[in-house]
Every structure is written in C-alpha cells, then in structure tokens.
Amino acid sequence: MGAAVVGLALAAGVVALAGPWDAGQRTAERDHAVADAIREESDTERIASTVPAAAPVLDPLDGRAPESTPAAVERAISELLDAPALGGGVAGAVIDLSSGDVLYREDARSPRAPASTVKIVIGVAALNALGPDHRLATRAVLDPEGERVFLVGGGDTTLTDDDLARLAQRTAEALRERDTGRVRIAYDTSLYRDQHHPIGAGNTNIATITPLQLNAGRTDDSTHGPAPRSEEPAADAADAFARHLRGAGIDVTGSADTRGAAPEGAEELAVHHSAPLSSLVERMLTHSDNDLAEAVARATALAAGEEGDFRGVGRAVTGQLEELGLPLGNVRIADASGLDRDGRVTASLLTHALAAAADPERPELRAALTGLPVAGFTGTLEGRYDESAGAGAGVVRAKTGTLTGVNTLAGTAVTRDGRVLGFAFLASDTAAEADAEAALDAAAAALTTCRCR
C-alpha cells in the first residue's frame, strides 16, 4: 500500500504539467475564487467535495526525465493489447505529454465507439469555449405585472434541494422589498429544448435532458452512478422551489406546473450559480457523470451560436477541437455522455486532447487532466488496479468507458523514468467486461513499470 500512496502523489504531480500548483490546489483557480464577487463559496465546496482531493504533491514532473522511445513503448504494451479479452483488435495510441512525440500507434486513426472516454474531449471543448470560471445560473425572475415568479433553468444538473432553498430565501427577501407577498410560480426551460437520450426515456443512466432539474432528476439520495429518475425533472424542481418559497413566508397560490418562457422585461430577483466549470468538468470525469456531460456540452453549443441539442453539440464540440488543432478525421460526436453507440472518436484524438490539456500555455484546460480518476483510489477506477495491474495504482489516471461489447481507457501514466505519457486504448467486440477491463488496466500499468528508453 505504501508504494501505491507514493504513486498517488506522483499522479498528482503529473498535472503540474498543466499549470501552477500550491499544496495540491490550483492557485489560479483559488485566486479567481477570492476575487470574483459573485461566487457562492459554499456551493463550490459542495461540488468540489464530490471529487476526491489530490494528495500533497511531490516535486513537479518537469519533462526533463529521459525521453521514451517508440520501440520501447511497443515492447511494453503491444503483446498486452493483443489479449483475446480485447476482442477484435485494439485501436491505441501513446504520446509524450511534454514533447508531443507519438510513441505508439495501432489503428490510431480508426474510428471506434468511445463510450465515456468521449467526456475527455467534451471537457476540453467546454473549457476552451467557456473558460474554467464559467458558471451555470439558475434564476428567479418576476414578470412585469409582479404576479408570477419564473424559475429559469440554466442547465445546472448539480442543483440540489438546499440550493433551491437558498434561492427561495433570497427570492422571498427580494419580493418583500417590493411589497409583494403573494405570487404564482412558473418555470422556464427555454434555454434549450428537452430531449430524451437515444438510449430511451426512463433509463437509470441519464435523466431527460432539460435546462432545469433537481439533482439530475434522481429520485433517491445518490449523487452519481445509475439511479431511478423522475419523469418530469423540471416540474419537480419548480415544485421544490415553490415549497421553499412558502417556507420563506411567501403566499404561493396555485400549483407550480405552469411551463413557459419568462416574459420580456422580467426582473431578476435572485440567482444561484453553480461551481465553476473547472470543478464541473472534474466531477464529470471522475464520476463519469452523464447528465453533467450533456449539460456542459449544451452550454458549449449555445456559446458557439448552435442549438442546444445533440446536433448542435456535435457541431460546437467539433468546432472547438478544430480550433485547438486536434486531429478530427473519422470523428463523429453523437452525444456528450458516450452512451450513444453511433459516436466515433480515434485514439489519436484522445491522446492529442490530453496533450492539449497538459500544455502549460493552456492552463484553462487543466481540469481535463485533474478530473481523471486515479487508479485504485478515485471515481470509476477506485475498485480497479488491485491485482495484476497493481503497479499502476496511483500512477495511472484515466477515463474509463463501458458499453456492451465496448471497453475503453484513456489517460496518463508515469514511467519508471518519470516521463509522463498520454494513452488511449479503444477495444470493441469484447465479450467479458471484467476481463477486458483487466487487460486494458494491465496495458496502462505496463507503461508505469517501463524504462521506455
């Protein structure tokens, strides 16, 4: 276990390549948080608390370790990637995150279903389009007649009942300042149209995609992973807001089931801001949050002037990746969660996206690295890397991807020489999920034990 803890510290050091660190905290983000008067600190802490904090870092890995060679990397992983458990052949790529040199490629430009590894490129695209300090806003506004309060959704799937209670309290105070003690409630989801994911309504992996929802439509107390979902997440949020507004002393008449766009000239009463986008991207990657991925992608689409739907997401994300100079041949962004089996990415795109996030000239993208699960410790890798791939514990950080017959893994690994590599392994036609995951983990772990000179 001691070696694994050292590995965790090394893995935390990897992200130093992406920007300044101070005792495990991103200093730029901390300074912005202090300076930005609109921030709601407790809400940021709540979201950040869902992403395990990095251990105190060792000296930053500065890229001056001996460079790895393509021949050595191929010797380390090629046989492992030929494992029968990985089906009909793995599309793979390995890149040096400091130099950008491609060290391994096998069908690296072949289009494959990414499953949830697509969230890496979604995070990079969103951070590039919106910036790490962008926040999603849920607003309460009053119609010009002063009779109806509209709860206006801003695409924040992390909105909780406590958030709505605080928003209702501030709304009640604003209403009393206007000598208004009785209102009706309506809700506004006009930011983008509701959509069901192609996997179908009522799926436990994702709620109805709508700009207004309470805890991603979950009907239990969970915060991530599959869960039963509400059939009307926006209406549920409006009902909760009305309940809290009554509790704050406002006479709310009628039900809160009226849906429509807030009228022009509506006056803002109160606003709730999500945690900054950097924290949202980290949460999305660590816990493979499907709802948050689709919401962040729609914010990206709107910022690019596209519609907030699957097609708009595809165009906007592709545009952002093109702006970053990433390889887009054979790529099709079908959704942001990776649940759509028609999506296609390449191992080359994933590794170059990781390299962009590691670029010290692009610190705004760093959350696409810092949010990656740590092997054996956090998120979707917490229960992996404890047997044959144990050498990778704490030293591999990677986004997992799983669909029936599809297993993928993409992230970073630190070699024995201290070199930081980005990798992507995409397997299709796999038969046994556990065996395929073990094979992918073994290949990533092999990079960490390799003196790849």
Side-chain angles (χ1 to χ4, degrees):
M1 183 65 179
V5 173
V6 171
L8 178 59
L10 275 170
V14 171
V15 294
L17 289 171
W21 279 70
D22 177 11
Q25 301 292 320
R26 290 185 303 285
T27 55
E29 182 176 304
R30 182 195 60 200
D31 292 341
H32 280 303
V34 173
D36 192 343
I38 68 167
R39 302 209 173 191
E40 296 172 24
E41 189 171 331
S42 62
D43 297 322
T44 301
E45 291 173 351
R46 174 181 56 79
I47 300 298
S49 70
T50 68
V51 181
V57 300
L58 301 180
D59 292 337
L61 302 174
D62 59 11
R64 291 179 292 186
E67 292 192 15
S68 302
T69 66
V73 171
E74 183 170 6
R75 285 195 303 270
I77 65 173
S78 60
E79 185 175 338
L80 293 169
L81 292 177
D82 284 337
L86 295 177
V90 175
V94 178
I95 193 170
D96 187 304
L97 291 187
S98 293
S99 68
D101 293 341
V102 176
L103 302 174
Y104 176 84
R105 53 188 166 198
E106 181 67 30
D107 292 331
R109 294 183 181 272
S110 173
R112 299 295 179 92
S116 281
T117 58
V118 75
K119 293 183 176 79
I120 293 174
V121 296
I122 297 301
V124 166
L127 290 163
N128 189 63
L130 300 166
D133 295 323
H134 181 79
R135 292 172 180 250
L136 306 176
T138 304
R139 300 181 299 127
V141 303
L142 183 65
D143 69 12
E145 289 74 34
E147 297 178 349
R148 181 174 293 174
V149 172
F150 285 79
L151 181 64
V152 183
D156 181 8
T157 64
T158 69
L159 190 70
T160 68
D161 190 66
D162 286 343
D163 295 332
L164 283 177
R166 288 189 288 268
L167 181 64
Q169 183 63 46
R170 294 195 297 272
T171 300
E173 292 168 359
L175 288 170
R176 281 190 284 269
E177 290 174 359
R178 292 160 178 77
D179 294 323
T180 300
R182 174 179 292 183
V183 295
R184 290 176 292 159
I185 298 295
Y187 62 97
D188 180 345
T189 60
S190 62
L191 184 64
Y192 47 80
R193 66 186 179 94
D194 288 5
Q195 285 188 297
H196 293 299
H197 193 278
I199 61 174
N203 193 287
T204 59
N205 288 296
I206 191 168
T208 300
I209 301 168
T210 178
L212 179 63
Q213 47 188 293
L214 179 60
N215 191 26
R218 296 170 182 274
T219 58
D220 58 13
D221 294 329
S222 65
T223 59
H224 59 271
R229 308 297 181 120
S230 167
E231 295 182 1
E232 296 289 343
D236 288 349
D239 285 340
F241 178 72
R243 171 170 48 83
H244 288 304
L245 199 57
R246 291 188 183 97
I250 299 299
D251 183 6
V252 177
T253 62
S255 62
D257 58 1
T258 301
R259 181 173 183 163
E264 186 175 348
E267 180 185 8
E268 184 173 289
L269 299 173
V271 61
H272 166 78
H273 291 101
S274 73
L277 182 62
S278 56
S279 292
L280 298 181
V281 167
E282 287 179 334
R283 170 172 167 159
M284 174 187 75
L285 292 171
T286 300
H287 295 303
S288 202
D289 190 321
N290 297 318
D291 303 275
L292 189 53
E294 297 295 350
V296 163
R298 279 157 178 72
T300 304
L302 296 176
E306 301 285 355
E307 292 294 320
D309 56 19
F310 288 114
R311 290 185 178 180
V313 164
R315 288 191 292 266
V317 169
T318 300
Q320 291 301 313
L321 301 177
E322 184 177 21
E323 181 179 298
L324 288 166
L326 303 184
L328 290 172
N330 297 322
V331 170
R332 177 177 182 264
I333 304 298
D335 69 350
S337 58
L339 292 170
D340 193 331
R341 303 180 72 87
D342 289 337
R344 292 294 183 269
V345 304
T346 64
S348 179
L349 171 60
L350 288 169
T351 52
H352 281 83
L354 291 166
D359 186 347
E361 298 300 316
R362 291 177 171 141
E364 69 277 6
L365 305 182
R366 69 171 68 93
L369 288 184
T370 59
L372 294 173
V374 180
F377 287 90
T378 65
T380 55
L381 285 183
E382 183 177 2
R384 290 166 61 170
Y385 288 83
D386 56 356
E387 294 181 3
S388 61
V395 202
V396 169
R397 298 188 72 144
K399 182 70 201 75
T400 57
T402 306
L403 296 171
T404 302
V406 174
N407 293 93
T408 59
L409 191 68
T412 65
V414 186
T415 70
R416 287 183 65 185
D417 293 320
R419 203 76 186 178
V420 188
L421 308 181
F423 67 88
F425 305 140
L426 310 177
S428 54
D429 299 323
T430 57
E433 177 181 316
D435 292 344
E437 289 177 349
L440 293 174
D441 292 348
L447 294 173
T448 71
T449 58
C450 175
R451 289 197 182 276
C452 293
R453 289 182 269 176

